Amino acid sequence: MTLRLFNTLSGQLDELVPSDGKALRMYACGPTVYDYGHIGNFRTFLQIDVLRRFLKLTGVPLRHVMNITDVDDKIIRNAAERGLAIGEYTKQYVAAFFEDLDSLRVERPEVIARATEHIPRMVELVEKLAAVGAAYKVDDGSWYFRLSAFPEYGKLSKKDLSGIEDGARVDVDEYEKDSARDFALWKAAKPGETSWETPIGRGRPGWHIECSAMAMEYLGESFDLHTGGEDLMFPHHENEIAQSESVTHKTFARHWMHVRFLLVDGRKMSKSEGNFYTLRDLLLKGYRASAIRMALISVPYRHQLNFTFEGLTEATNAIERLRTFHQRLMSVTVSSGKNVGAGGCSPLQELAEKAQADYMAALANDLNTAEARAPIFELIRAANTAMDRGEFCAGDRDAILKALASFDAVFDVIENRDGEPTQRALAWAEQSGRMADVAPELRASASISDDEINALVAERDVAKKRRDFARADQIRKQLAEQGVIIEDSKEGARWKRK
Ligand SMILES: [Zn+2]
């Protein structure tokens, strides 16, 4: 099965296969580590995770490179304000970023490349650009890319850049102008700023050159796929293409995938609107990491996702349905042979095979996660009905487990691993003076450890055996107040946190 993925460069769905017949070489723009990641950032990383996991599920080996931008204007400014070296300043945000990825169960790329560890490669690229007349130095010692040296500029974003003003320059890392300008490749050192002594002068790299240099370092001059958020298409990705192709005269990346922005309650997320959320904000409100993952991946990457709290609740319920079903599937008694149960066997095996095929086909069609979910949930409905009627037969379980395994290879929400991210977020809130932001239910639930719950549940079992129902009830109530629910079953009492 081959993935057909929309390619921004060609403007159509193209098959995504490793061009060297071995591994798919892909580059994903990583975070600039000056703050905690917000859910818009994580939507992009999660959708790239969907891509990664689906490629692996279809047997495509990967070489996925992601950069960490650990030097830029904002980092230098913020570090200076706090009187820290940039490495000291970014350390906490690099750690937080990977902790957040772990909470969301985003797989790590094969290569993680930090900008500050690749300065010589960037300098070499500027030298090569100067040699072909595509880079020039200005009076203060900074280097700029000469846009007029690359007539194809704009081919990715399809912008009409006919009004390019020759020699007009921009020296900041980010700009959102429709008119393109010569952009900084290398910024001369200003007094007190972090800088490197190099053959092209003392200074530091511009943001765009980092990605060109590191992508080519690990993936070669021409590779299969480049991904990032839609906000990076122009000018960042356009600039990466210009810098790389001016030197190599080869197609930098054949395929470009851009993940769309999300809205929050129908509006652009911003701090001033009061609808700006980091992952940690949501965990402290009591939402589970798995629900956040599910909500952020369930809308396909090319569609705008309108993030709402109702959407998070829907994701929470969907996961609950999956987990409850999985437990039931593992504990249900099946009769061996055909035609057992009241009305004989339901056609569940065929249904499971069809659900799995439909699921794979939906993902192979431009990673349509919404369409992929549907047949799995239909299968769950059908299987529950068959179990209720005693029509669940031997062989059904294996076929359904196979479909669920394919589902979870990408969605990864069935096994309950939500405790750790929440506990980590609580520890972080405590350290950083944010306990006031913790939802009251979560605070109550955090006040009791797993060991304490186990002890109380055991005590309740003993009380029940002694027929001391008053004490058993009292324990149940106490746990409920702390957000712990007890479920009695034939195998004994089980508990879970709300
Ligand atoms: Zn980049």
Side-chain angles (χ1 to χ4, degrees):
M1 182 167 280
T2 305
L3 170 63
R4 296 179 75 241
L5 187 72
F6 185 80
N7 181 354
T8 311
L9 188 60
S10 71
Q12 61 185 28
L13 292 181
D14 288 335
E15 287 199 346
L16 186 65
V17 285
S19 57
D20 64 1
K22 289 180 238 157
L24 190 104
R25 285 167 298 147
M26 63 180 271
Y27 187 87
C29 290
T32 303
V33 280
Y34 67 94
D35 206 345
Y36 296 102
H38 59 69
I39 53 173
N41 303 136
F42 288 118
R43 181 190 191 203
T44 299
F45 294 117
L46 279 163
Q47 294 287 353
I48 294 169
D49 191 54
V50 168
L51 168 82
R52 255 191 81 86
R53 287 164 173 265
F54 182 67
L55 287 169
K56 282 167 67 184
L57 186 60
T58 56
V60 177
L62 285 169
R63 181 164 169 78
H64 170 185
V65 179
M66 180 182 74
N67 66 298
I68 302 274
T69 298
D70 55 358
V71 54
D72 89 328
D73 294 343
K74 278 200 210 88
I75 290 171
I76 289 176
R77 193 182 58 223
N78 293 0
E81 276 168 12
R82 288 164 183 74
L84 293 172
I86 60 165
E88 273 304 304
Y89 173 72
T90 55
K91 202 162 70 181
Q92 56 178 322
Y93 296 115
V94 173
F97 174 70
F98 285 111
E99 205 177 280
D100 289 350
L101 287 190
D102 287 347
S103 293
L104 291 169
R105 304 202 55 74
V106 173
E107 289 186 351
R108 300 280 168 101
E110 279 67 35
V111 179
I112 293 162
R114 294 179 70 137
T116 52
E117 290 168 3
H118 295 78
I119 304 291
R121 308 300 296 182
M122 299 168 203
V123 170
E124 271 168 42
L125 190 52
V126 176
E127 287 174 322
K128 285 180 186 166
L129 284 166
V132 299
Y136 60 93
K137 193 176 184 175
V138 299
D139 288 346
D140 78 345
S142 296
W143 288 81
Y144 284 83
F145 183 86
R146 190 191 311 280
L147 272 200
S148 59
F150 191 67
E152 291 172 79
Y153 192 81
K155 67 178 174 182
L156 178 71
S157 55
K158 319 283 189 282
K159 278 185 186 291
D160 176 14
L161 300 167
S162 51
I164 293 179
E165 223 182 304
D166 195 25
R169 292 194 296 266
V170 60
D171 68 353
V172 291
D173 287 330
E174 284 179 273
Y175 59 101
E176 289 184 44
K177 298 265 172 18
D178 275 340
S179 61
R181 302 185 204 176
D182 290 4
F183 56 88
L185 297 165
W186 184 261
K187 300 180 183 197
K190 293 196 189 110
E193 275 188 5
T194 307
S195 60
W196 284 262
E197 188 61 53
T198 76
I200 56 168
R202 187 167 224 351
R204 62 187 169 92
W207 171 37
H208 315 297
I209 198 81
E210 293 173 15
C211 284
S212 287
M214 294 193 286
M216 291 198 280
E217 164 84 4
Y218 293 103
L219 300 171
E221 292 181 341
S222 193
F223 53 93
D224 298 312
L225 173 69
H226 196 309
T227 70
E230 67 169 337
D231 54 324
L232 300 186
M233 192 194 301
F234 179 85
H236 181 54
H237 289 162
E238 208 72 77
N239 292 355
E240 283 188 46
I241 292 175
Q243 294 163 153
S244 311
E245 297 188 2
S246 292
V247 167
T248 66
H249 302 289
K250 290 177 190 159
T251 302
F252 177 53
R254 276 175 291 279
H255 207 122
W256 288 80
M257 171 194 181
H258 288 104
V259 181
R260 278 200 80 178
F261 260 6
L262 58 71
L263 298 177
V264 175
D265 291 324
R267 289 170 302 145
K268 200 172 171 218
M269 183 168 72
S270 79
K271 282 185 178 157
S272 58
E273 289 267 354
N275 65 350
F276 184 95
Y277 300 112
T278 65
L279 172 66
R280 287 151 196 250
D281 292 334
L282 297 181
L283 290 172
L284 296 185
K285 282 178 183 294
Y287 293 99
R288 297 176 189 163
S290 60
I292 300 166
R293 177 180 171 90
M294 186 77 153
L296 291 178
I297 67 179
S298 289
V299 172
Y301 78 96
R302 247 185 345 128
H303 292 251
Q304 192 141 52
L305 161 67
N306 184 24
F307 180 88
T308 60
F309 288 102
E310 296 85 78
L312 261 188
T313 304
E314 188 277 333
T316 307
N317 295 341
I319 291 170
E320 205 49 47
R321 208 146 64 230
L322 280 161
R323 288 179 181 169
T324 309
F325 174 72
H326 189 253
Q327 272 178 2
R328 187 176 187 193
L329 188 65
M330 299 314 285
S331 58
V332 71
T333 337
V334 288
S335 314
S336 56
K338 286 265 170 197
N339 298 320
V340 290
C345 291
S346 295
L348 271 182
Q349 287 188 44
E350 292 108 89
L351 254 174
E353 279 157 27
K354 186 167 183 313
Q356 188 173 0
D358 290 349
Y359 163 81
M360 293 296 283
L363 287 180
N365 180 21
D366 206 20
L367 301 174
N368 195 327
T369 44
E371 264 182 34
R373 257 181 67 160
I376 300 298
F377 282 88
E378 273 162 34
L379 174 65
I380 290 173
R381 251 191 307 278
N384 272 325
T385 308
M387 288 177 193
D388 293 345
R389 292 183 183 155
E391 294 169 1
F392 194 81
C393 299
D396 290 347
R397 174 152 52 205
D398 287 347
I400 293 170
L401 278 175
K402 231 177 116 197
L404 286 184
S406 297
F407 173 82
D408 224 34
V410 175
F411 282 76
D412 199 7
V413 293
I414 294 181
E415 194 184 321
N416 188 346
R417 302 187 188 87
D418 289 322
E420 210 179 304
T422 299
Q423 294 307 319
R424 263 206 306 262
L426 282 166
W428 171 78
E430 186 122 48
Q431 279 163 24
S432 45
R434 294 214 24 197
M435 285 309 277
D437 297 331
V438 178
E441 314 88 74
L442 188 59
R443 220 175 304 172
S445 145
S447 64
I448 185 163
S449 71
D450 288 3
D451 287 345
E452 287 165 325
I453 299 172
N454 284 328
L456 280 169
V457 171
E459 191 194 332
R460 179 172 165 272
D461 280 347
V462 174
K464 278 172 76 181
K465 283 196 189 103
R466 279 204 316 264
R467 309 190 66 76
D468 180 358
F469 297 114
R471 175 62 188 147
D473 257 15
Q474 194 185 24
I475 292 172
R476 175 190 281 277
K477 267 191 205 138
Q478 183 195 333
L479 285 172
E481 275 161 21
Q482 290 180 288
V484 179
I485 302 164
I486 300 184
E487 285 165 349
D488 290 306
S489 72
K490 276 180 228 151
E491 295 84 39
R494 273 202 303 256
W495 60 266
K496 64 181 181 187
R497 290 178 194 268
K498 246 194 270 182

